[in-house]
Amino acid sequence: MSTKPSRYTVTAALPYANGPVHIGHLAGCFIPSDIYARYLRKKGEDVLFVCGTDEHGAAINMKAQAEGTSPREIVDRYHGIIKDSFDKIGVSFDIFSRTSNKTHHETAQAFFKELYDKGSLEEKVTEQYFDPEAQQFIADRYIIGECPNCHYEEAYGDQCENCGRSLSPTDLINPKSKLSGSTPVLKETKHWFLPLDHLSGKIKSYIESHKDWKPNVYGQCMSWLDAGDGLQARSMTRDLDWGVPVPLPDAEGKVLYVWFDAPIGYISATKELLGDKWEDYWCKEDTKLVHFIGKDNIVFHCIIFPAMLMEHGGFHLADDVPANEFLNLEGKKISTSRNWAVWLHEYLEDFQGQEDVLRYVLTATAPESKDNDFTWKDFQTRNNSELVAILGNFINRVLVLVQKYYEGKLPEYGVLPSSDLEILGALKTAPADIAQSLEKYRFREALGKLMALARLGNKYLADEEPWKKVKTDPERTAQILFVASQISAQLAQLMEPFMPFTAEKLRNALGLKSLPWAECAKEIFLASGSEIQTAGHLFQKIEDVVIEAQIQKLEDSKTDTSPKYEALKEEIQFEDFSKLDLRVGEIIKAEKVKKADKLLHLEVDLGFEKRSIVSGIAEHFKPEELAGTKVTVVANLAPRKLRGVLSAGMILMAEDSNGKLSFTSPPADMPNGSIVR
RNA sequence: GGCGAGGUAGCUCAGUUGGUUAGAGCGUCGGAUUCAUAACCCGGAGGUCACGGGUUCAACUCCCGUCCUCGCUACCA
């Protein structure tokens, strides 16, 4: 967009309501979007900042079933936790809605209906499996059966995990529903697909018109568009009872696909807040639309959602999608399932009154251009040597001195020398300078520029030494503290988007109102005679014990993840078991399979013969360490080729809850070829 | 394996369209200081810009190749 936008629509990715929010979400999406929105508001722009919980989809349904409760119960729980924690950390959404509410259902249905009415959707009737016991259609991956290709007994309906073959549920021999364990029956069902291939040209030129997007975003989009198969038609509906009902006759038990309804959630949240005025923020070309997301969401926000909007017509497409990379934690990937995370609601409990510290640290260390690491040690250092020592200390020095020398009343300053005018000049240019970074979504750079002001203040005091001059030159001392107070005032204004709580505290001490950004471009904020109070310490030092406790907490949570035990499979008869021929084998030779990351080509001695077996264990074992290892082999499995290499049999492996594999090895003196039973 | 993004001081990162001694913050060492939460301020040390070629008068910056990290994807238990 070349001309100045008339209004802004800022969205933050909808958090999925099956768990709380952690620091990775914050650093990647919510803190930057909040800084941006607060900055725009302070600039006096017309800005709408929307978000909400994404509450549909099979995963929430499954979680509810696993906990023996309802999806409603799950989403209510997490919507509450998430909304509350966003409030407390100061993420200033204009509305934080949810996709399960009425407005959203209506909006999503109307959107779908529009596509349907104009003939954009392809209707396909297919036979799908239906679970008679659970009385519902079953998603492909919740159907298990025997693979027609390799006869693996537990192939999923969409793919056999054993031979890797893509499957359709109807290919399975002896299918079972994972929901109830019963045998599903085929039933005709109708679904609606959105073809995308005819849009690929439009989408490509849309992306290409945004070469200014971040390289990681632009690169991923082009990579996706250039991929071989082109854009496939996507089914926009599912057979499920939790979600937005498909607004057509004959669509009993069908809901919109969660990926279809979720982004529309941005729009319905807007409607909920603004009523008819919503169109200004979504349809007008002079609106600037910015989606803040994590890198896992790039393709969806840059390609699929715009495609939906294009096909519908009448919508303005995203002007920028400043996706961040991932934040690691103490050198390891954040993982919800392994409980390796710092949860926002827990941080807020443990660090009450230190909301801005987390905002500051996550901004300073945000993964803007590549993955970054959050460590508690770094958190402590940034708090102690940046917030406390540089920023808090400067403010404290000024306020204490003004209190001490002038009873809190700002003195007259007479005619300032040019060195002071230079300092004040820096205050005048700071807003534009910081704005330049913010407009480019360079939040850590912007924050650095803010801190440079505090550094300037500290240097000014050190150079001028008012505590000495007060004895010899009261007039000059008055000037110095007058100038230093102006720096404090500018800090109070400009820190607002980054650290809103501290900004308010400081403004109150200085008796200032929040000023529009443009009005911050000046030298003097506080007139002589202004009453100034001390603010106490803006930031508290964080001691080692506090940090050690957090690290310990992380370690503990890691070990106490109760391992997830898979449900037992259905009972089998002895003859089922006796079909298996298990033998003791010994690995003689192992080498990596070319062009495959996970596969090892093994030569296994079964006593009576040597076998070639391909096994997916390359990420767990080095080939040269394997010779001589005793293993248990499924010896009568039908042979097949993997990556062009013959695999005649299968090695049995045990897997722990972290996905680590180990051999089920017989003792070394057990002869090769021995029967296992 | 394919595609994408990265690999710059001990750590976290900047380096704009190729142009003289490659920058910042933190950490570290030394100095100065005491108004301030032993904080601030000044100074020093520290980099063959992943590696190897090439283009150019000139490359961290462009081209080719190799290695490593992350993501998507393929291959699996």
Side-chain angles (χ1 to χ4, degrees), chain A residues 394-415:
Chain A
F394 169 67
I395 299 295
N396 190 237
R397 296 169 85 181
V398 175
L399 299 190
V400 165
L401 288 175
V402 170
Q403 201 58 232
K404 210 186 263 186
Y405 299 160
Y406 309 104
E407 282 84 43
K409 206 167 165 186
L410 215 57
E412 296 293 330
Y413 56 94
V415 180

Side-chain angles (χ1 to χ4, degrees), chain A residues 9 27 74 100 121 123-124 167 178 181 191 216 223 257 284 370 385 396 402 419 445 461 466 517 552 557 651 661:
Chain A
T9 304
I74 299 281
S100 62
L121 298 175
E123 197 172 298
K124 288 186 199 166
L167 298 173
K178 219 175 161 182
H191 281 291
N216 56 338
S223 152
Y257 181 36
K284 293 197 173 170
K370 59 184 173 191
S385 61
N396 190 237
V402 170
S419 59
E445 182 179 85
L461 288 183
W517 194 267
Q552 193 57 47
S557 70
I651 311 286
L661 298 181

